[in-house]
Amino acid sequence: MIFSSDNWAGAHPVIAESLVKAAGGFASAYGTSDLDKKVEKTLSDVFERDVAVFFVATGTAANSLAFSSVNRPGGHIFCHREAHVNVDECGAPEFFSHGSRLTPVDGPLGKIDPVRLEAEIKRFPPGFVHGGQPMAITMTQATEAGTVYSLDEIDTIAHIARKFKLPLHMDGARFANALVTLDVSPAEMTWKRGIDLLSFGGTKNGCWCAEALILFDTAKAGQMHYLRKRSGQLFSKSRFIAAQFDAYLEGGLWLDLARHANGMANRLAEGIEASRGARLAWPSGSNELFVILKKDTAKKLEEKGAVFYDWPVPHTLAGSIAADEGLYRLVTSFATTKEDVERFIAAC
């Protein structure tokens, strides 16, 4: 009953086999191979326009390089208070963007509140050199709370970005999970709504180590080649990342894997809601569930073999959880089985 993280899951067999196939023979290095070019073309097809694709090792690298590419002196990057870039990336976004600052914005259930976002941006008026200047907005889809921005909600954030002439970045570590929830095309959830840069994640959804930074304006890709090299993210044998993405995207496998993970989360949520020993903290729209358990119940579940994480209580829930209760995160993946879900529900 492994519900700790989708990072704990291995690689899907089809993706693992793609690495074996890519291991033989010779291919030109540093992103110039035929396979690299094929995947870049495939991603342009997926997003229904020419895109610039930069393979990297981690989502943190993709996020940090996105900010580095739009760096401004004294820059402020506006994000949700509990966004991964703000609480889980050890200062990498600031480091790679040469001292820019992450400026947190509150909002319920992991989503940026548009009114608060605009108010935060206005705290740094043009010409006030001491405060620095707005640099970018980043939103996470699906969010760190497991929720999903609707298309209208993305539109609202994008409108604010355009109003203040700020690039809009999407952290898509669980991009596929959000996409299948909304049941829209990748284009409709990104550039057609006003997203400029996308961290496109594959590792959490069945890949071994495959992440990419995607720029929807190819004219702005020139400096990114140098930024990636300088950051140590230019792989010599990048065909091994390309091989994973090739298998991942082929025939819609990436969407099937996300649908399975989301389906397992939905079944888990139904069982938890029907149980006497657990309750959902809020509804989820992806493969992450946040559950309130009595602390002794959590301990008993762990003794029965369940693995999950204690989770910090969000600011918006402060005071709503009893002293003998805790908040816990459960994450499903492509590798989660119905049997493990049912065992957990029975244990509750």
Side-chain angles (χ1 to χ4, degrees):
M1 296 183 286
I2 307 298
F3 301 110
S4 49
S5 173
D6 37 14
N7 287 319
W8 283 39
H12 187 273
V14 171
I15 295 169
E17 180 61 26
S18 73
L19 289 165
V20 175
K21 291 178 180 177
F26 293 84
S28 59
Y30 299 111
T32 63
S33 75
D34 290 342
L35 186 55
D36 286 275
K37 294 174 183 176
K38 176 189 176 186
V39 172
E40 290 170 6
K41 173 63 167 60
T42 299
L43 283 167
S44 290
D45 292 341
V46 164
F47 286 97
E48 303 173 42
R49 65 178 292 167
D50 287 339
V51 297
V53 180
F54 296 87
F55 297 145
V56 295
T58 67
T60 295
N63 293 337
S64 300
L65 286 172
F67 302 149
S68 181
S69 73
V70 298
N71 183 40
R72 303 179 75 183
H76 288 265
I77 304 159
F78 300 91
C79 65
H80 191 274
R81 182 178 299 279
E82 284 139 15
H84 199 272
V85 294
N86 193 40
V87 299
D88 282 305
E89 295 189 347
C90 196
E94 296 95 331
F95 178 82
F96 280 99
S97 53
H98 296 281
S100 65
R101 285 158 288 178
L102 289 163
T103 300
V105 180
D106 286 313
L109 303 181
K111 296 180 182 181
I112 294 171
D113 182 295
V115 175
R116 292 178 177 179
L117 172 62
E118 189 158 353
E120 282 295 325
I121 294 172
K122 288 179 178 177
R123 290 181 58 233
F124 306 96
F128 185 63
V129 68
H130 306 286
Q133 56 186 325
M135 180 175 127
I137 301 169
T138 178
M139 59 194 306
T140 311
Q141 181 75 325
T143 74
E144 295 303 311
T147 54
V148 173
Y149 285 95
S150 69
L151 296 187
D152 286 344
E153 288 170 328
I154 299 172
D155 277 335
T156 300
I157 300 296
H159 173 76
I160 295 171
R162 289 192 296 272
K163 178 178 177 179
F164 291 96
K165 297 181 172 59
L166 298 176
L168 180 56
H169 166 258
M170 178 177 281
D171 180 352
R174 296 185 174 93
F175 183 86
N177 302 96
L179 193 68
V180 298
T181 293
L182 293 182
D183 192 24
V184 297
S185 72
E188 288 174 307
M189 201 172 78
T190 55
W191 64 268
K192 288 186 177 182
R193 310 254 79 78
I195 302 297
D196 299 295
L197 308 102
L198 169 67
S199 296
F200 182 73
T203 304
K204 287 180 168 65
N205 194 36
C207 292
W208 166 71
C209 173
E211 306 286 321
L213 175 59
I214 295 176
L215 277 62
F216 293 109
D217 185 350
T218 58
K220 295 182 178 179
Q223 291 300 309
M224 183 56 67
H225 295 279
Y226 297 95
L227 293 171
R228 180 175 60 171
K229 175 64 175 178
R230 185 178 65 179
S231 70
Q233 289 292 318
L234 177 59
F235 286 75
S236 60
K237 296 182 181 179
S238 64
R239 72 180 187 268
F240 289 106
I241 296 182
Q244 294 173 73
F245 275 129
D246 188 42
Y248 184 63
L249 298 168
E250 177 69 29
L253 176 64
W254 64 301
L255 300 176
D256 291 338
L257 299 182
R259 287 189 190 99
H260 175 83
N262 286 12
M264 293 295 97
N266 290 340
R267 172 60 193 133
L268 192 57
E270 291 170 0
I272 288 170
E273 284 291 83
S275 76
R276 294 188 301 271
R279 69 184 189 274
L280 296 177
W282 56 80
S284 171
S286 64
N287 63 320
E288 291 184 285
L289 299 179
F290 293 83
V291 181
I292 297 171
L293 300 168
K294 289 190 178 298
K295 293 176 182 178
D296 61 349
T297 300
K299 184 177 180 181
K300 290 175 182 176
L301 286 166
E302 289 171 339
E303 289 170 352
K304 292 181 178 181
V307 184
F308 47 86
Y309 282 146
D310 294 9
W311 206 254
V313 177
H315 292 71
T316 52
L317 278 186
S320 65
I321 297 178
D324 64 343
E325 295 178 326
L327 179 66
Y328 303 90
R329 187 189 74 165
L330 282 71
V331 185
T332 56
S333 73
F334 79 93
T336 301
T337 66
K338 293 179 180 178
E339 290 75 18
D340 280 347
V341 168
E342 297 303 328
R343 284 175 59 209
F344 186 90
I345 292 170
C348 282

